C-alpha cells in the first residue's frame, strides 16, 4: 500500500457555531436532569391549607423538576429568536432522542445483576426506573410544549420583525407552557400518586403558573442572553 503523499488534500466538515452548540448542549442537559428529578412528588407549604373553589392553593403539589425545568424554555426562546424554528426543532428532536437513550440506558443498568456489595439496588431502580407512563408524559409534554413555544415565537417575529421581543417571549411562554403542562400532567398524574381531581387541578395549575412566572421573572436575563448570542453569532442577519 503506498504512503499518502505529503500535502495530499484532506476534507473536514464545517462545525456549527459555538453559541448554537453550547445552547443545544445545555438544553439537552436540562431536559435529562428534569426528567429524572420529576419522578419525585413534592408538597410545598404542607403546614398550610388554602383553597379557592375546586383549586387547592396550599399546600402546593408538584414534582422535583419545578426548579430547573423552566430554564429549558428560556434556552428554547434564545434558540428560536436567534436561529429560527427549523434550527430549534433539530435541538428539540435531539433532546427527545437523548431522553429516550437515557431511559433505555437506565432500564439496562437496572436489569444488570448487582455486585454483592451494592446494597442500593432498590433505591437505584426507584429513582431511575421511571414508569412507562411517566416517561411517555415527559416525552410528550416536552416535544409538544417546546415545538409550540418555538413556533409561536418565530411566527410572531415574522410579523413584528426585530421589534416587540417582550411580546414574542410572553406569547410563546404562555402557549408552550400551557401545552406542556396540560399534556404532561394529564399523563403523569397517576404515575406519581395523584389520585383526586383536586390534586390534579392543583398540580396542573401550579405547574403552569410556576413555570410561566419563572420565565417572566427571568425575562430580563433572557433579553440579555439573546443580545449576547446575536452579537456572538457571526451569521446572524446574514441567513
Amino acid at each position: 500500500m503506498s504512503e499518502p503523499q505529503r500535502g495530499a488534500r484532506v476534507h473536514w466538515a464545517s462545525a456549527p457555531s459555538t453559541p448554537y452548540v453550547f445552547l443545544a448542549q445545555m438544553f439537552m442537559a436540562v431536559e435529562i436532569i428534569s426528567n429524572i428529578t420529576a419522578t419525585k412528588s413534592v408538597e410545598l407549604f404542607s403546614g398550610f391549607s388554602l383553597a379557592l373553589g375546586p383549586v387547592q392553593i396550599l399546600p402546593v403539589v408538584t414534582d422535583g423538576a419545578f426548579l430547573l425545568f423552566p430554564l429549558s424554555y428560556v434556552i428554547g426562546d434564545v434558540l428560536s429568536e436567534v436561529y429560527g424554528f427549523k434550527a430549534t426543532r433539530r435541538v428539540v428532536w435531539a433532546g427527545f432522542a437523548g431522553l429516550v437513550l437515557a431511559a433505555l440506558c437506565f432500564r439496562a443498568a437496572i436489569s444488570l445483576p448487582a455486585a454483592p456489595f451494592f446494597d442500593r439496588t432498590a433505591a437505584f431502580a426507584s429513582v431511575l426506573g421511571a414508569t412507562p407512563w411517566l416517561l411517555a408524559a415527559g416525552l410528550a409534554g416536552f416535544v409538544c410544549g417546546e415545538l409550540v413555544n418555538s413556533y409561536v415565537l418565530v411566527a410572531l417575529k415574522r410579523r413584528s420583525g426585530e421589534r416587540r421581543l417582550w411580546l414574542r417571549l410572553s406569547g410563546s411562554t404562555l402557549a408552550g407552557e400551557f401545552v406542556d403542562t396540560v399534556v404532561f400532567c394529564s399523563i403523569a398524574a397517576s404515575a406519581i400518586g395523584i389520585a383526586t381531581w383536586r390534586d390534579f387541578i392543583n398540580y396542573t395549575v401550579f405547574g403552569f403558573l410556576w413555570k410561566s412566572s419563572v420565565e417572566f421573572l427571568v425575562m430580563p436575563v433572557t433579553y440579555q442572553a439573546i443580545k449576547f448570542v446575536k452579537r456572538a453569532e457571526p451569521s446572524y442577519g446574514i441567513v
Side-chain angles (χ1 to χ4, degrees):
M1 181 180 296
S2 61
E3 294 291 330
Q5 296 180 356
R6 181 175 297 180
R9 186 178 181 182
V10 295
H11 301 276
W12 308 103
S14 59
S17 67
T18 299
Y20 181 78
V21 172
F22 176 78
L23 290 168
Q25 291 171 337
M26 290 299 298
F27 182 87
M28 295 181 66
V30 168
E31 289 300 332
I32 292 174
I33 295 170
S34 295
N35 210 49
I36 296 172
T37 56
T39 59
K40 179 178 180 179
S41 300
V42 175
E43 184 176 270
L44 305 175
F45 310 108
S46 56
F48 302 90
S49 179
L50 178 63
L52 182 62
V55 180
Q56 176 183 313
I57 307 300
L58 297 176
V60 172
V61 179
T62 183
D63 58 62
F66 81 97
L67 287 172
L68 181 63
F69 184 74
L71 180 59
S72 68
Y73 276 83
V74 174
I75 299 174
D77 286 340
V78 178
L79 285 168
S80 300
E81 172 69 19
V82 178
Y83 298 99
F85 180 68
K86 289 184 179 179
T88 305
R89 185 176 59 193
R90 288 197 294 268
V91 175
V92 171
W93 285 116
F96 176 85
L99 290 172
V100 172
L101 176 62
L104 293 175
C105 290
F106 294 155
R107 285 291 177 183
I110 290 170
S111 65
L112 292 173
F117 55 82
F118 186 77
D119 58 357
R120 297 184 296 277
T121 300
F124 183 84
S126 176
V127 173
L128 298 181
T131 64
W133 279 112
L134 192 58
L135 176 61
L139 293 175
F142 160 71
V143 171
C144 295
E146 290 290 353
L147 290 180
V148 168
N149 179 78
S150 179
Y151 181 85
V152 171
L153 189 149
V154 171
L156 291 174
K157 184 173 183 178
R158 293 186 187 279
R159 296 177 64 91
S160 63
E162 296 292 323
R163 301 176 295 111
R164 299 176 181 174
L165 176 58
W166 65 271
L167 179 61
R168 296 196 291 279
L169 296 179
S170 301
S172 62
T173 290
L174 294 175
E177 293 290 8
F178 177 78
V179 171
D180 181 287
T181 306
V182 171
V183 171
F184 177 83
C185 293
S186 297
I187 301 174
S190 60
I192 65 173
I194 294 178
T196 67
W197 277 106
R198 187 184 183 91
D199 283 344
F200 173 75
I201 293 172
N202 174 246
Y203 181 44
T204 305
V205 171
F206 174 79
F208 171 69
L209 293 178
W210 167 260
K211 290 181 287 190
S212 299
S213 298
V214 169
E215 283 206 63
F216 282 116
L217 287 173
V218 301
M219 191 174 292
V221 178
T222 308
Y223 259 77
Q224 295 304 316
I226 288 173
K227 289 181 180 179
F228 176 82
V229 175
K230 284 181 177 179
R231 289 195 301 266
E233 176 54 68
S235 65
Y236 186 74
I238 298 175
V239 296

